[in-house]
Every structure is written in structure tokens, then in C-alpha cells.
Amino acid sequence: MNEDTNRLIELRREKAQALREQGVNPFPTTVSVTHTTQQLLDLYGEKEAEAIEQIPDRFAIAGRVKGQRDFGNVIFLDIYDRTGRLQVLLSKKLIGPENFQTFKKMADIGDIYAFAGKLMKTRTGELSLAADELTLQCKSMRPLPEKFHGLVDVETRYRQRYLDLIMNPDVVDVFRTRSEIIRLMRVFFSERDFLEVETPMMHPIAGGATARPFVTHHNTLDMDLFLRIAPELYLKRLIVGGLERVFEVNRNFRNEGISTQHNPEFTMLEFYWAYATYEQLMELTEELCCFLAHSLFGKLSFVYQEREIDFARPWKRLRMADAVAEYTDLSVEDLKDAATLKAFCKKHGLEIVGEPTPGKLMVLIFEELVESKLIQPTFIYHFPTEVSPLARRNDENPEVVDRFELYINGNEIANAFNELADPDDQRGRFVAQVEAKKAGDEEAHEYDADYIRALEYGLPPTAGEGIGIDRLVMLLTNSASIRDVILFPQMRKEQS
RNA sequence: AGAUCUGUAGCUCAAUCGGUAGAGCAGCGGACUCUUAAUCCGUUGGUUGGGGGUUCGAGUCCCCCCAGGUCUACCA
């Protein structure tokens, strides 16, 4: 139905107009509030009725009216503020017949009111505010969803998150937890002397990851810019600058598909630690995740989608080659032979593009056949050099880099490595990427000359890591879709 | 991008084989001074996502389009 002709909205408009004519502004400035609903419950919820009656103070709360039980000369209201719910008792006796009548005629579920009065206990023993004063704080023009089933429609929940938040307390909890996780991360890194920084979101060169970027344009400079796909190259410039320990919590933008695991803009924690190695990052990652789980749950295990996830340390560590050997019938020796790997891929229906190296084939097999089986936290390390253009080679085996990814519940949660500090090696890797790009690899890196210049000044031995916050929040809030942990997930345009 | 499912009143859902579009809640009118989805009586509300087709007749069958969910692909 056309929203402009909806009779429920029309009725509320008429009520607002009637209020104006009575001298009541339906959209006033605020009145002072003394307590939240939770404060009152904490202070007086357990007290006996007699004790409550002795309290001479008046209290003022404000919130949305979400429920109403009308008994003629007395009305019970469910008032919700950010902390929870309190019952308000409105009676003709206390507020006077005129106010009482006005409320009955003009108030709707969804309106926001402030109430002041003394506390009381009802016959059922529930702490309630017996209002002797009420002030409309906002006239709501739209009816809320039904009180029992609430708002279920997933599309409406995402498009109108405000309504989702009004109706579904579980959703509020998820976003409170998300906020708490990010707060704890800041505590964790601050305690370890990491400096929080903000680096550009608009990059002249989209670097630091392999992904297709969003392109935008700066009019005055008349230049195309890319929304960042990763902050990595800027954060490492800061390590060159001597900051030594930095972290950033911010959005990355990747012009890729949307799924339960992917949103075009997503939040990444990246941190860089000079004079540390990726082995130390594994330790730090375990510490961080355990700190989060312990802070949230008071223990290290939790259930995700009916599966028990256990953060108890130490976490499993597997070289990628060993992981592939463990989860397939290939041997570590087979992994060096392109022909064997190609045959294996063909047998398992894995699509091969071009003439990949054994390393690339191993990664393909890993991603297709192994990843999803890594349920408990597992570090996979020693990635092939050719898929890791910014990572330092392993000293014993230059074919692999000192890099790991963390998998939990079959999902990549973190990616980390010893940073490549050798500017000539880095230049060579960029050149290889540029050639891959010319050969049609849309996601290959571009050549970043200033980054090479920075490396030429000297990057101390550094390890760096990125942690996908949305996915970690999914795990820790038992959310099945990334859209459930992003307040306003990306949607197509709504039909008018 | 492909496969598949879904879209009916403000919300949550019905509607048998293709045969008069219905309920609960909300709303509106009324009763009620202790309820917790209050209760009771009465009652309004529909271009069935949009467009086209088949048919005597379409919410239902067919085609196109729009939006969403899930899986796959890309990716973190």
C-alpha cells in the first residue's frame, strides 16, 4: 500500500495535529530524565512493597511505549529505553481525568514519552513507576510490527535496521557485543604499546591485497582514486617512519560478490609489529582471541551454529603442504609436481586457469578441499611465495614465505606474515604482479613506486596481520550471516 | 554471474484440483482500577511485488521484470 495513503499513518497525523491544536508539540525538545529503567530495577527491583512505598523521591524515565494494557481507569505501559524495560502505571487518579483522556485518545504504541512519579510495586510484585506526570517526547507516525511475532522479514530487517533494533532485542545484543569486541581490541593493543592510527581510505593505487577495487574520482585533482582494499602499505610506511607498533580498525572496500561471508565494505583490524616474527603473531592472535572469548563468555569455548568451538591454547599449526597432505591422498612430494597436481585437480573437478605453478595448484587444492575442514582454530603457514607478493621469504626455503592464515569453522579469520623488507625483492614481486595483471589477472597488485622508495629507507624486521572483524564477530555472536553483524549491509535499491 | 526458493492487510501467517481473498495482532468504537501477547463485545482495512499471457474464471498455471533468502562462483 502506498505509504502516503496508509490510513494508519493518516490517523496518527491527525492525532499529532489535534495535539498541536491543544498546545502540545508532538516533537518537542526534551525534558530531564533522572534514571534509566535498568538503574531503577537495579536499585529497587528487589525491595519489598512496603520499602518502596517509603521512598519519597520522584523518578523520571523516558522511552518508547511498546506495550499497553488498558483497564479503563488505569493503564499499564511497557516503556523501553536503551537499558531495558520498566512498567509504568498511568491512572486517572494520579494524572487527572483530562491528561488521562488525552493520553487515551492521542497515544499510540511506538510513541516516545517521559514519565515522572513515585515508584510502586504492583499486586504481582513488579516494580513500576506510578506516573503523576507525563510528557510526549515524540509522536510516532508509523505503526510498529506486531507485538508477539515482531519483525521477521529479513529484507525489512536489513533495510530498516532501526525497526529491527526496536523490535528485536537479540539484534541489539549482537551489536553491543560487536562494539565490546572492538573496544576490547583497542584495550588489548593499547596495553601492548600499539598506536592506533588512521590511514587513507582513498588510494591512488589499490594495493595491499588481491581484490577488485571501487573506483571514484576527485574533481579538483581530476584524478581517479580507489577505495582502499587494504591499509597494509600505508601501515608499513608508518613502521618505516619509526612508529614500530601500529594498528588500525577500519573499513576495507572490495568490489566482489556478496554472500553470507562477504559484504562490499567490511571491517578489518590490521596491526604491524616491528622486531617481531609471525610466530609471535600466532601467540598474539591466540592471546587476543582468548582475551575476547574470556571477556565475553568467561571461558574459552562457545557454540557456533550448533558446533563447539574451543579456543584453548595452543592452537593447531600446520604447514600448508602438510595440511594438504593430511586432508587429501596427496603426499608432500606430490605437491612439488605440477603434473601430479593437475591430474589431481582434474579428478576432483577443480578448474585450472592458465599454466599455474605447483604452489598455486597447492593453494587451489587447499582452498577447495581443506579449508572447510578446519573447524577448530588452525594456523596454516608457509604459503607459496608467488601468492604472497608482500611477504618475506622463508630463510630455509625461498619457495615459501613466512606467512600464516588462521582458520576457524572453515573460514579465514586472519592473514599474517613477516614483512618483506628488501626493496629489490619487493620491486621484483611487483613486476611479476604487473605482468600477471597484463596477462589478465584483474586482482594482481599494481606497482607502487613510493612504497618501494619507503622500503629503500629501511623497514625494520616486522610482522603484520589482518583480522576480519566481521567474521570474528559472527563467530562470537553465533551469527550465520555477515549481514547480521553489519548494521546496514549492502542492498540493492529499494523499489519506489 | 548461475541454480533454487520466497513475495497475500501496518505486522505474523492461511487460502484444498484454477472457482466469492481469510485469521490473529495492531487500528477504530465500546466495557473494565493490578495487567504482562490483559480480557470481553462490535468493527474498518486488499491493484495478492510489477507487467503481460492462457482460461468462462488466476493469489494459484505460463513468460518477462523487480526485490529478498540460501547454495555455487569471485573473494576476506
Side-chain angles (χ1 to χ4, degrees):
Chain A
M1 174 176 272
N2 188 309
E3 53 195 72
D4 296 325
T5 61
N6 185 305
R7 70 202 157 74
L8 295 174
I9 294 174
E10 199 44 51
L11 265 165
R12 290 185 179 215
R13 270 188 215 292
E14 286 166 14
K15 286 178 181 176
Q17 190 50 40
L19 283 166
R20 284 190 190 97
E21 282 158 16
Q22 291 178 24
V24 176
N25 187 342
F27 305 102
T29 59
T30 192
V31 296
S32 64
V33 169
T34 64
H35 290 74
T36 65
T37 58
Q38 190 60 50
Q39 282 171 336
L40 292 180
L41 288 168
D42 287 345
L43 288 167
Y44 306 109
E46 301 305 314
K47 290 224 164 46
E48 296 297 324
E50 295 76 32
I52 299 288
E53 231 168 273
Q54 299 302 311
I55 302 169
D57 311 37
R58 288 175 78 249
F59 301 90
I61 64 165
R64 194 181 293 274
V65 179
K66 291 201 209 172
Q68 174 172 345
R69 292 170 293 284
D70 184 347
F71 287 83
N73 290 318
V74 61
I75 307 172
F76 293 98
L77 300 173
D78 297 323
I79 306 303
Y80 285 78
D81 63 13
R82 68 182 185 283
T83 65
R85 170 193 169 275
L86 189 75
Q87 181 168 266
V88 165
L89 180 72
L90 272 191
S91 67
K92 191 188 267 183
K93 206 168 109 191
L94 272 174
I95 63 169
E98 264 180 46
N99 287 334
F100 196 77
Q101 194 57 23
T102 301
F103 184 86
K104 274 203 170 189
K105 290 288 171 201
M106 300 300 172
D108 286 294
I109 301 289
D111 287 354
I112 298 170
Y113 271 88
F115 301 92
K118 293 183 70 172
L119 289 175
M120 62 167 292
K121 282 237 164 160
T122 63
R123 270 175 218 169
T124 56
E126 179 173 348
L127 183 74
S128 306
L129 184 79
D132 54 41
E133 193 181 339
L134 78 167
T135 318
L136 178 62
Q137 292 286 275
C138 180
K139 181 69 196 160
S140 169
M141 295 298 187
R142 279 179 185 268
L144 291 177
E146 187 221 354
K147 59 189 167 188
F148 187 54
H149 298 92
L151 178 65
V152 171
D153 182 74
V154 184
E155 183 176 351
T156 309
R157 286 187 45 229
Y158 293 153
R159 285 195 194 278
Q160 297 177 245
R161 183 69 89 182
Y162 41 87
L163 196 55
D164 193 24
L165 292 167
I166 290 171
M167 298 308 296
N168 297 317
D170 291 354
V171 173
V172 176
D173 285 344
V174 166
F175 289 103
R176 282 188 189 283
T177 303
R178 180 182 174 117
S179 178
E180 177 65 3
I181 288 168
I182 293 171
R183 189 189 71 80
L184 289 166
M185 285 176 169
R186 290 198 159 102
V187 168
F188 182 88
F189 283 98
S190 297
E191 278 175 353
R192 286 160 179 78
D193 201 25
F194 281 74
L195 186 71
E196 182 167 8
V197 296
E198 293 169 272
T199 61
M201 310 294 279
M202 298 194 290
H203 292 183
I205 296 169
T210 53
R212 278 148 58 191
F214 288 93
V215 189
T216 185
H217 187 79
H218 192 288
N219 290 338
T220 305
L221 296 178
D222 190 23
M223 69 187 288
D224 283 340
L225 291 164
F226 303 95
L227 298 191
R228 77 174 189 195
I229 56 175
E232 171 155 352
L233 298 182
Y234 285 92
L235 290 170
K236 284 194 280 196
R237 284 174 170 97
L238 298 178
I239 302 295
V240 169
L243 299 186
E244 292 186 356
R245 297 180 187 194
V246 295
F247 75 101
E248 178 164 11
V249 180
N250 225 322
R251 224 66 65 78
N252 288 347
F253 305 85
R254 297 190 184 174
N255 207 338
E256 314 267 0
I258 293 176
S259 77
T260 52
Q261 313 291 322
H262 301 85
N263 195 63
E265 52 180 306
F266 62 101
T267 304
M268 188 84 128
L269 164 70
E270 280 209 17
F271 50 97
Y272 289 81
W273 186 6
Y275 312 109
T277 66
Y278 80 129
E279 285 98 341
Q280 282 168 283
L281 288 185
M282 291 191 209
E283 299 292 326
L284 193 76
T285 304
E286 289 182 8
E287 278 172 34
L288 172 64
C289 290
C290 288
F291 171 62
L292 294 175
H294 191 266
S295 302
L296 296 175
F297 312 128
K299 56 183 180 138
L300 296 181
S301 64
F302 55 93
V303 172
Y304 181 75
Q305 308 288 299
E306 290 166 13
R307 214 175 227 164
E308 178 97 0
I309 304 287
D310 194 352
F311 278 3
R313 300 174 69 189
W315 294 354
K316 196 170 180 185
R317 298 178 186 192
L318 276 175
R319 271 187 289 268
M320 181 179 280
D322 294 335
V324 173
E326 182 174 326
Y327 288 93
T328 68
D329 54 13
L330 291 164
S331 71
V332 175
E333 282 307 306
D334 292 336
L335 295 175
K336 292 168 184 160
D337 183 59
T340 306
L341 292 177
K342 269 192 207 166
F344 181 90
C345 287
K346 203 161 269 177
K347 196 173 112 192
H348 288 82
L350 308 184
E351 196 191 341
I352 299 169
V353 187
E355 276 299 316
T357 60
K360 281 199 173 170
L361 288 166
M362 177 174 75
V363 171
L364 177 69
I365 294 164
F366 173 80
E367 285 172 350
E368 294 296 323
L369 301 177
V370 181
E371 245 185 55
S372 62
K373 293 173 181 148
L374 305 175
I375 303 306
Q376 297 305 324
T378 305
F379 292 110
I380 298 296
Y381 66 102
H382 282 182
F383 279 60
T385 304
E386 59 266 36
V387 300
S388 315
L390 303 167
R392 188 178 184 278
R393 292 175 203 267
N394 180 262
D395 285 332
E396 276 79 51
N397 177 9
E399 300 296 305
V400 299
V401 290
D402 289 330
R403 167 183 174 190
F404 71 78
E405 285 186 348
L406 169 63
Y407 288 87
I408 305 175
N409 197 51
N411 260 314
E412 184 189 336
I413 300 292
N415 177 26
F417 40 84
N418 288 345
E419 303 301 337
L420 174 56
D422 179 342
D424 293 330
D425 192 351
Q426 184 65 75
R427 188 180 285 114
R429 306 264 200 106
F430 275 156
V431 168
Q433 289 288 310
V434 168
E435 272 161 19
K437 190 152 210 161
K438 274 187 199 150
D441 184 350
E442 275 189 79
E443 294 178 350
H445 271 74
E446 280 190 61
Y447 192 98
D448 188 335
D450 175 71
Y451 180 67
I452 299 290
R453 179 166 64 185
L455 289 184
E456 285 170 346
Y457 284 100
L459 177 75
T462 300
E465 177 167 346
I467 296 180
I469 288 185
D470 310 281
R471 288 183 178 178
L472 190 58
V473 173
M474 283 171 69
L475 271 176
L476 296 173
T477 57
N478 194 15
S479 301
S481 169
I482 198 167
R483 288 175 219 114
D484 294 325
V485 302
I486 292 175
L487 280 166
F488 299 98
Q490 197 60 53
M491 303 284 272
R492 279 199 171 83
K493 262 192 217 162
E494 202 175 351
Q495 280 170 287
S496 55

